[in-house]
Amino acid sequence: MMRRPARTTSIRTVRSASRSARTTSREALIHKFHSTVSMIRTIEMLLGIAPMNQLDASAVPMNIFQETPDLTPYKAVLPTIAADNLLTHKPKDKATAEWMKKSNRQNFAHADMADPKVLNAVIWFACTGSGSNIPQTAQLPAYQAMRLGIAKVDQDESVFKKDDDD
């Protein structure tokens, strides 16, 4: 199953920048807001290139560097994952087996190719069991109009029909 890349947050941006250079302050706690654009602006300044657009030009560069490099080795902490995390167990009952089949029929070869309605139903079943029905998806009337098309009004039912009094 392929997963979509996670969205970039300001926290991840700061962490990525601080892990990428030896001149970053490892133990420093910075109380300034930094966005992805701040990181792009900082990279542009480090490389000596001009900003790509007005957003970059107006962004505040990240001030997370120190004068002397820290050459102590970085020790990665590996996450602890259950050994059977990715193994599929045998279904407990007939309903579970049916939902597992529906999940396996989905196209996970590329992002966004699986049917979201089926996947939502599979997740709902996995969390709640077979005792509850999945709630209907809320949709605005405009969505229904775009999906189904706006019905054509007959000439005699036209809103713009002239009255005999005109």
Side-chain angles (χ1 to χ4, degrees), residues 31-162:
H31 294 282
K32 290 186 179 180
F33 174 77
H34 294 295
S35 65
T36 305
V37 182
S38 299
M39 183 166 185
I40 292 171
R41 178 67 177 138
T42 305
I43 292 170
E44 290 168 345
M45 290 178 70
L46 289 172
L47 296 176
I49 58 176
M52 296 183 286
N53 54 38
Q54 288 294 329
L55 220 64
D56 296 357
S58 62
V60 177
M62 298 166 67
N63 186 14
I64 58 171
F65 300 101
Q66 60 189 16
E67 293 296 322
T68 56
D70 183 2
L71 300 177
T72 57
Y74 179 78
K75 183 178 180 186
V77 178
L78 299 176
T80 55
I81 302 174
D84 63 347
N85 189 26
L86 300 176
L87 300 177
T88 307
H89 300 288
K90 291 184 178 182
K92 300 173 190 170
D93 54 19
K94 192 173 183 178
T96 304
E98 187 60 36
W99 283 110
M100 287 173 77
K101 286 178 189 174
K102 287 181 181 182
S103 180
N104 286 335
R105 285 188 217 126
Q106 298 302 306
N107 182 0
F108 294 115
H110 301 287
D112 299 329
M113 294 301 293
D115 184 359
K117 289 182 181 180
V118 172
L119 290 180
N120 285 339
V122 169
I123 293 169
W124 183 264
F125 174 79
C127 294
T128 63
S130 59
S132 122
N133 293 331
I134 186 167
Q136 292 294 320
T137 305
Q139 295 174 346
L140 296 173
Y143 173 78
Q144 291 296 336
M146 288 188 298
R147 190 173 69 81
L148 301 173
I150 299 174
K152 293 184 180 179
V153 180
D154 291 336
Q155 288 292 341
D156 54 275
E157 295 177 12
S158 176
V159 177
F160 301 108
K161 181 181 172 187
K162 290 190 174 190

